[in-house]
Amino acid sequence: AVEHGETPAAWTIVNDTRYTFVGLTPETSYDLYVRPYQASPVATGTAAHLDDVTTEALPPTCETVANATTNTGNAPLYGNYAERAQRIQSIYPASMLENLQGKTINSLQYFVKSGSSSGSNGDWGTGTWNISIAITEQNDLSAGFDNDAVMTQVYSGSLTANTTNGMTITLDNNFQYNGGNLLIQFVQPTGSGYSDCQFYALSDQTGASRYAYPSTAANVMTDAGTLINYLPKVQFCYEAGACRDVTNLTVSNVTTDSAIVSWMPGNTE
């Protein structure tokens, strides 16, 4: 027989040459030990060990919403006028995002239509795009851009898109989604390079998106932009196993030997 263990102080007797450890933590390093063991009379030998055996990360988990297959729109960005500053907002209703409740979003992927009449690839050079996300009280953008939502910038950098991989954006700052209408904003403060591509989008979402850019590349963007009924198809990827935060933690009925703890639940506690 041999003894297996994660540390020398935690041994398991196994009458075999294999053993499966269960209940390990993803992306965690372990030291594993194996030593010979004799039951009668009790005796043990020198332990062999492996250092830094690291478990794999959980697989990415994703949810696609606004799953358009034919139409395209000028959102999440308007590549045809990317040589100018621009601002684009889109609102995803909470009803589309039920499976994202409590998830920590770590990447976005938008989908480029193959064979678009105005081009199917986008590369906006060294231009910087700032992407922000917020929970909004608005259902649409018919009254103008949402300037009241508290925006969290989740990405700043260059963007490229093609028909093979779409436009994948790994966020600099993850975003915890706990419900509500989700506002996504793309801003290019100064123009970069023209390169058009069309992104798949639902075309029947009243007032779902709004875009604006100056009349010439040299002008500052000041107008309220153009309202469109397009909502881009997007895939949200999130941390597998992430739970919604517990909130409103309170304690009551405290006695000498008991207390009642209450909270607003996340997914599971």
Side-chain angles (χ1 to χ4, degrees), residues 12-245:
T12 300
I13 298 175
V14 180
N15 293 308
D16 200 345
T17 58
R18 302 177 53 136
Y19 181 75
T20 301
F21 287 97
V22 296
L24 303 181
T25 302
E27 296 185 88
T28 301
S29 181
Y30 294 88
D31 292 340
L32 304 181
Y33 295 79
V34 179
R35 70 180 181 184
Y37 171 78
Q38 178 179 289
S40 182
V42 175
T44 58
T46 302
H49 72 276
L50 295 173
D51 293 331
D52 296 327
V53 177
T54 303
T55 51
E56 295 182 352
L58 290 167
T61 308
C62 302
E63 178 78 12
T64 301
V65 301
N67 195 13
T69 58
T70 55
N71 295 306
T72 61
N74 298 325
L77 58 82
Y78 200 169
N80 195 35
Y81 288 94
E83 78 278 10
R84 309 177 189 182
Q86 60 178 268
R87 180 188 188 190
I88 304 95
Q89 288 187 345
S90 298
I91 293 178
Y92 292 84
S95 59
M96 287 187 178
L97 307 174
E98 292 178 357
N99 291 336
L100 288 177
Q101 280 274 358
K103 303 299 191 296
T104 301
I105 300 167
N106 55 28
S107 73
L108 307 172
Q109 182 180 11
Y110 293 90
F111 298 84
V112 177
K113 183 177 181 180
S114 177
S116 170
S117 60
S118 55
S120 57
N121 292 276
D123 183 351
W124 298 280
T126 58
T128 296
W129 294 85
N130 298 323
I131 303 174
S132 300
I133 301 179
I135 301 302
T136 178
E137 297 296 325
Q138 296 183 195
N139 295 317
D140 57 55
L141 296 163
S142 58
F145 285 112
D146 186 345
N147 296 316
D148 296 323
V150 179
M151 307 296 295
T152 298
Q153 183 167 300
V154 295
Y155 178 81
S156 181
S158 60
L159 296 174
T160 61
N162 59 65
T163 54
T164 302
N165 301 313
M167 184 170 70
T168 300
I169 304 160
T170 300
L171 304 186
D172 300 327
N173 301 300
N174 296 346
F175 185 85
Q176 176 84 17
Y177 176 72
N178 291 326
N181 296 337
L182 192 69
L183 175 70
I184 300 181
Q185 174 177 272
F186 281 64
V187 172
Q188 185 179 225
T190 58
S192 55
Y194 159 84
S195 185
D196 191 26
C197 70
Q198 297 291 308
F199 295 91
Y200 281 111
L202 296 178
S203 61
D204 58 353
Q205 305 297 297
T206 303
S209 297
R210 180 177 288 271
Y211 68 86
Y213 55 84
S215 57
T216 69
N219 287 345
V220 176
M221 180 173 53
T222 58
D223 64 28
T226 301
L227 183 69
I228 54 176
N229 298 329
Y230 289 92
L231 186 62
K233 176 181 179 180
V234 62
Q235 183 180 80
F236 297 97
C237 290
Y238 51 86
E239 296 176 356
C243 290
R244 184 177 176 182
D245 291 343

